[in-house]
Amino acid sequence: MILGIGTDLANIERIQSVLDRFGDRFRNRVFTETEQRRAERMTNPAAVYAKRWAAKEACSKALGTGLRMGIAWRDMAVSNLPTGQPVMRVTGWAQDRLATMTPEGYVAVIHVTLTDDHPWAQAQVVIEALPAAEEVLRPNMVRPR
């Protein structure tokens, strides 16, 4: 069953302007070290940051909160599998929120997709609940606490 859906669109040039103006202060407030390492080794770091920004916004929407109620930017993090597939991991308050959304006997799976076409970056997040008995080990699976 679908627990939540979120989407967001970010302007790459706007993210570049914020990076130019605030640099590490912005990076460290919003992005995890893993996200920063990936962005900084790419040809266009601003596009990578913009996609991850959009993913965090989309995830907060899928959680039904937006960026309020205690969710921190770094509570939502995008990493990539060896195949390149993006995966969203949540910690802190976002993980707590997800646990309250997930029905008993189910396991939450967060699906994320990212794209960009300059000057836009887009992300979509779908949070799905699977019966725990049918659980398949996936890197994007979040088990309730």
Side-chain angles (χ1 to χ4, degrees):
M1 86 180 70
I2 301 299
L3 299 179
I5 299 171
T7 188
D8 195 67
L9 188 65
N11 185 287
I12 297 168
E13 293 168 358
R14 179 175 167 259
I15 296 297
Q16 182 64 63
S17 294
V18 174
L19 287 165
D20 292 343
R21 184 170 179 196
F22 297 105
D24 286 342
R25 193 168 125 208
F26 171 67
R27 280 184 202 89
N28 294 332
R29 179 173 173 248
V30 176
F31 303 101
T32 65
E33 290 177 21
T34 301
E35 290 172 314
Q36 291 180 46
R37 278 193 307 271
R38 179 162 181 96
E40 294 303 324
R41 70 175 188 256
M42 297 299 180
T43 305
N44 186 356
V48 178
Y49 284 124
K51 286 186 280 191
R52 276 144 178 76
W53 173 279
K56 291 166 188 272
E57 287 274 7
C59 184
S60 71
K61 292 171 185 175
L63 289 168
T65 63
L67 284 162
R68 59 183 174 86
M69 296 176 57
I71 285 185
W73 287 104
R74 291 171 56 109
D75 284 348
M76 300 165 286
V78 178
S79 60
N80 295 81
L81 299 177
T83 60
Q85 176 186 349
V87 292
M88 175 71 71
R89 290 188 172 82
V90 292
T91 58
W93 196 92
Q95 185 177 24
D96 294 343
R97 170 68 181 153
L98 184 58
T100 64
M101 293 172 58
T102 306
E104 191 172 324
Y106 285 78
V107 178
V109 179
I110 303 173
H111 304 277
V112 61
T113 186
L114 309 171
T115 191
D116 67 281
D117 186 9
H118 193 84
W120 300 107
Q122 182 195 16
Q124 291 183 323
V125 171
V126 175
I127 302 174
E128 176 185 25
L130 296 176
E134 298 175 20
E135 168 179 337
V136 177
L137 185 59
R138 298 184 195 181
N140 57 337
M141 190 169 284
V142 180
R143 289 169 179 76
R145 292 183 181 186

